[in-house]
Amino acid sequence: MSQLTRLSGLIDAFRPADGPPPRSLAKFCLWAVKGATPVLLMAGLVSACAGALEVFTAVVLGRVVDTAVEADARTFFTDHWTLLLGCLLFFIVLRPLVLGLSAAAQGIAVSPNLQPLVLSRLHRWTMGHAVTFFDNDFAGRIAQKQMQTARAITDVTTEIINVVAFALASLVGSALLLTSIDWRIGLVLVLWIVAYFGLIRWFMPRVRHVSKNRASARAMVTGQVVDTITNIKTVKLFAHADHEDKVALDAMSAFREKAIQFGGISTMFRFTLMTLAGVLPAVLIGGTLVLWSQGAATPGDIAAAGAVSLRLAQMTGWVSFTLMGLYANIGEVEDGMRTLTPPQTITDAPDAVDLGEVADIRFDHVSFAYGRKTGGVEDIDLHIARGEKLGIVGASGAGKSTLVALLLRLYDPEKGQVTVSEQDLRGLTQESLRRSVGMVTQETAMFNRSTRENILYGRPDATEEEMIEAAERAEAHDFILQLEDHKGRKGYDAHLGERGVRLSGGQRQRIALARAILKNAPILVLDEATSALDSEVEASIQEALERVMEGKTVLAIAHRLSTLAQMDRIIVLDDGRVVEEGTHQQLLEQRGLYARYWQRQSGGFICADDESAEAAE
Ligand code: ATP
């Protein structure tokens, strides 16, 4: 057992990568397996020894045949017992030992460690991408690419060790052995090897290309399927199962097409190689027979050449199959690399500092439109004093969430700068910045973990009492005690389902609130934080919120204007710009957009846009 642990511990499976992933294939593969290379070389060497041993088997056979032909049959065993004992030891001790060692290096030291090593590096890199990266892709597709790339690199590496090293050693050994019989036989093998590699060179780039397309189409299927499953409620609600079925089938049919192309090229490749493999025993055995007939070779040479050529012909089959896999995997690595390894756009500057005490926040002529011409926010010039409570109002799509996302540095402004305590966010560590901000949003997704873990996400080192107190303040404690999941776990131990689907919108918001209360950060962002609550719960939470807001700088977004009336200042956004600002009272007196919203609110909500507001009138 301890040997097993020692062998499996030779590679540190979770060692972080050195720097960002390079964007060329070979360098990327080296980046992915760096740290494991000495063990990989060792495993390759053992595998090459095993390959060379296969040729030696033919040598042993040839020696036995030659000795038997020349020996006296009656005294053969007594005269040659040392040779026979040597053969026996070779077959039942040395050969199993080397092959076993090769299997252990491969199966225990390399394979189980390599995939986690590569996957953890890719996953860490992916997690460091800016939110835009995830906005622009399917979650399922990204996950699929991570898995596919890690598996493909693992397979490429193990195949190189297992097959390529083994086969090369066998080929070189065979060429040497045959040359020792007669140089012309050796030359025949060398010519055959040249033809073999010529074919591989012609076919492989084509295999790689088709495989890359197939991998890309496969990831698209996963992306579509995961997207549909994630939105299954909407699909059912709109009775669009047929449409979703068609979208999925379209993606699958594109994948099928690429798979057929792959099948076509692989059939051609294997057929041609098999024909070439068939030629080998014919020319090698035939050639040695000719030499024997001229007295230039012994019967043992014929046996050895026969054994070698049959072994090589047999090997050609699985080597070509493996090479197909190898190049197919290289295509998959290239495909994954293209998606996963672009440089991270939002990173800590090399000289980034931690955000110390939070003073004021400033948006200095900030514009950001998600890389497009319109949308987002434009020329925001805003100063929020320490401890100020700022309300943000605007129709749907006016840019409220974008403003907050810029403060959290989920995106970098396209123009202008955002500063906290006079420091540009780009010069701060992202972690220290986000540690200073507590946030409750309209749609807070939960992890499918226990309620306790979800609340502790706000501050993992909080005590059980602190965690429960936060839940109580968020009016969540009572309903949490009633929770029970499908495995019978109750209360704070109950799991919440994927994205928290087992909770109502209001319950999710209260857990998110508890999380933010526990975090107790100096800046608090409330993005429609109480929108899903009924008026009664909202009223009691409002009180708790007011206490939580004490001494903090607050940015609160709300459609229900009554929840913002007590704010120190309110800004009104329209089409990405600040069009009005002042206290609730001042804004009412201005008789502008805010006053119109206030007037038009029915049941405490702003209508989503002017037309619907007019329709409501
Ligand atoms: P709501 O009240 O509906 O939440 P909002 O005022 O918070 O709206 P934002 O979410 O900030 O509005 O969106 C502002 C504009 O930016 C919209 O025109 C929207 O289409 C665009 N936008 C928002 N998110 C993205 C994104 N990830 N990629 C591209 N455009 C986006």
Side-chain angles (χ1 to χ4, degrees):
M1 188 63 201
S2 71
Q3 297 294 354
L4 198 70
T5 322
R6 205 168 306 150
L7 202 57
S8 62
L10 284 177
I11 295 177
D12 175 2
F14 302 105
R15 192 183 129 154
D18 296 340
R23 304 215 70 196
S24 78
L25 180 69
K27 285 188 184 152
F28 173 72
C29 290
L30 286 177
W31 171 88
V33 302
K34 191 156 179 212
T37 19
V39 181
L40 297 179
L41 287 177
M42 195 191 72
L45 201 69
V46 177
S47 172
C49 287
L53 226 55
E54 289 304 287
V55 181
F56 202 67
T57 312
V59 176
V60 171
L61 189 69
R63 275 288 299 277
V64 172
V65 172
D66 277 347
T67 318
V69 169
E70 284 163 18
D72 180 350
R74 281 162 301 180
T75 57
F76 176 72
F77 286 101
T78 43
D79 289 351
H80 299 288
W81 68 271
T82 42
L83 174 70
L84 295 176
L85 184 67
C87 290
L88 208 62
L89 286 179
F90 172 77
F91 281 109
I92 62 173
V93 180
L94 186 66
R95 192 167 171 272
L97 206 70
V98 175
L99 290 178
L101 205 63
S102 172
Q106 173 62 40
I108 303 170
V110 174
S111 280
N113 288 317
L114 213 54
Q115 189 151 346
L117 181 73
V118 181
L119 188 57
S120 60
R121 287 177 179 181
L122 281 177
H123 185 57
R124 280 194 197 113
W125 181 256
T126 310
M127 296 279 285
H129 278 303
V131 179
T132 341
F133 174 85
F134 299 93
D135 286 348
N136 295 336
D137 213 325
F138 289 113
R141 204 180 85 96
I142 296 174
Q144 159 83 8
K145 296 258 159 158
Q146 283 189 12
M147 296 303 296
Q148 157 201 316
T149 313
R151 187 199 43 73
I153 291 187
T154 310
D155 287 356
V156 167
T157 319
T158 51
E159 277 159 6
I160 287 179
I161 293 172
N162 237 354
V163 182
V164 180
F166 185 95
L168 276 180
S170 292
L171 279 179
V172 172
S174 305
L176 289 177
L177 170 69
L178 293 174
T179 311
S180 77
I181 296 174
D182 190 289
W183 67 269
R184 283 163 294 187
I185 301 287
L187 186 66
V188 169
L189 180 65
V190 170
L191 288 179
W192 182 87
I193 293 173
V194 170
Y196 183 71
F197 280 106
L199 264 185
I200 288 173
R201 246 190 86 82
W202 191 86
F203 270 106
M204 284 312 154
R206 289 161 177 81
V207 170
R208 182 162 138 187
H209 176 71
V210 180
S211 161
K212 189 158 76 178
N213 292 344
R214 186 182 61 161
S216 171
R218 186 195 297 127
M220 201 62 203
V221 174
T222 315
Q224 285 293 359
V225 169
V226 173
D227 197 38
T228 306
I229 294 176
T230 314
N231 291 300
I232 192 70
K233 277 192 186 154
T234 315
V235 174
K236 291 203 181 285
L237 202 67
F238 283 85
H240 276 342
D242 286 349
H243 174 72
E244 289 305 317
D245 190 50
K246 185 176 173 317
V247 171
L249 289 193
D250 283 350
M252 286 176 209
S253 124
F255 172 54
R256 179 176 169 270
E257 219 159 273
K258 303 289 175 214
I260 292 174
Q261 282 175 9
F262 183 82
I265 189 106
S266 74
T267 309
M268 242 163 74
F269 173 61
R270 300 201 64 203
F271 173 73
T272 323
L273 274 190
M274 282 302 128
T275 313
L276 194 64
V279 170
L280 191 67
V283 289
L284 286 187
I285 300 176
T288 324
L289 274 173
V290 172
L291 287 174
W292 171 75
S293 68
Q294 296 165 354
T298 63
D301 291 340
I302 301 172
V308 162
S309 59
L310 287 177
R311 188 90 195 98
L312 285 183
Q314 208 182 37
M315 215 171 70
T316 319
W318 58 266
V319 166
S320 63
F321 192 70
T322 311
L323 283 178
M324 281 283 309
L326 193 81
Y327 271 79
N329 279 323
I330 290 177
E332 300 208 351
V333 174
E334 279 180 319
D335 174 62
M337 226 175 78
R338 204 172 43 197
T339 306
L340 300 174
T341 61
Q344 291 169 344
T345 49
I346 296 199
T347 49
D348 286 354
D351 53 352
V353 292
D354 276 353
L355 172 62
E357 205 167 309
V358 173
D360 60 343
I361 300 169
R362 195 181 284 278
F363 286 78
D364 192 6
H365 296 284
V366 171
S367 297
F368 177 74
Y370 299 92
R372 299 181 318 191
K373 288 206 176 70
T374 54
V377 292
E378 208 183 325
D379 198 26
I380 301 284
D381 203 32
L382 184 67
H383 177 242
I384 307 162
R386 177 184 175 162
E388 188 177 351
K389 318 270 175 284
L390 180 81
I392 306 172
V393 170
S396 181
K400 306 180 292 295
S401 303
T402 308
L403 194 72
V404 165
L406 288 166
L407 172 63
L408 284 159
R409 206 182 164 215
L410 297 184
Y411 310 98
D412 277 334
E414 288 156 10
K415 279 194 215 135
Q417 62 170 358
V418 185
T419 60
V420 175
S421 313
E422 309 274 302
Q423 299 171 85
D424 190 320
L425 297 191
R426 285 170 283 212
L428 295 172
T429 58
Q430 296 173 70
E431 206 185 312
S432 71
L433 170 69
R434 291 174 197 152
R435 253 202 323 262
S436 307
V437 185
M439 182 150 179
V440 186
T441 61
Q442 194 171 7
E443 288 170 36
T444 313
M446 298 283 143
F447 293 102
N448 189 9
R449 302 174 190 166
S450 69
T451 321
R452 174 183 294 101
E453 280 173 280
N454 269 289
I455 299 178
L456 282 176
Y457 213 74
R459 182 154 56 92
D461 60 353
T463 62
E464 181 81 4
E465 289 71 38
E466 289 169 327
M467 192 266 306
I468 293 180
E469 193 198 327
E472 282 170 346
R473 285 174 68 188
E475 300 277 335
H477 182 68
D478 290 344
F479 85 76
I480 290 173
L481 292 184
Q482 311 295 322
L483 292 178
E484 180 170 353
D485 66 20
H486 66 294
K487 286 200 178 148
R489 290 171 292 215
K490 293 194 170 89
Y492 285 92
D493 294 318
H495 282 220
L496 302 179
E498 198 172 352
R499 289 171 295 117
V501 284
R502 290 208 199 93
L503 299 177
S504 74
Q507 287 171 334
R508 265 203 301 274
Q509 267 188 340
R510 279 180 274 170
I511 290 193
L513 204 59
R515 201 188 259 175
I517 291 174
L518 195 63
K519 187 169 178 183
N520 196 22
I523 302 174
L524 189 63
V525 174
L526 306 170
D527 186 350
E528 289 288 331
T530 55
S531 61
L533 303 179
D534 61 66
S535 325
E536 202 168 314
V537 179
E538 188 180 23
S540 56
I541 281 196
Q542 205 65 41
E543 244 171 69
L545 265 183
E546 268 160 38
R547 260 179 291 139
V548 175
M549 286 196 274
E550 256 166 48
K552 294 192 185 352
T553 309
V554 180
L555 282 83
I557 299 174
H559 283 290
R560 208 178 323 201
L561 298 188
S562 55
T563 59
L564 297 182
Q566 302 307 318
M567 293 279 143
D568 298 329
R569 181 163 54 125
I570 296 171
I571 59 168
V572 182
L573 286 180
D574 188 30
D575 226 355
R577 290 173 175 274
V578 177
V579 290
E580 287 170 25
E581 72 177 280
T583 61
H584 171 69
Q585 206 51 44
Q586 287 166 341
L587 289 174
L588 286 185
E589 283 160 15
Q590 278 184 25
R591 299 191 158 274
L593 203 55
Y594 183 85
R596 265 204 353 253
Y597 284 156
W598 182 256
Q599 204 181 16
R600 288 178 179 177
Q601 265 191 3
S602 57
F605 289 96
I606 318 179
C607 294
D609 50 44
D610 277 359
E611 286 99 83
S612 52
E614 271 147 28
E617 271 182 336

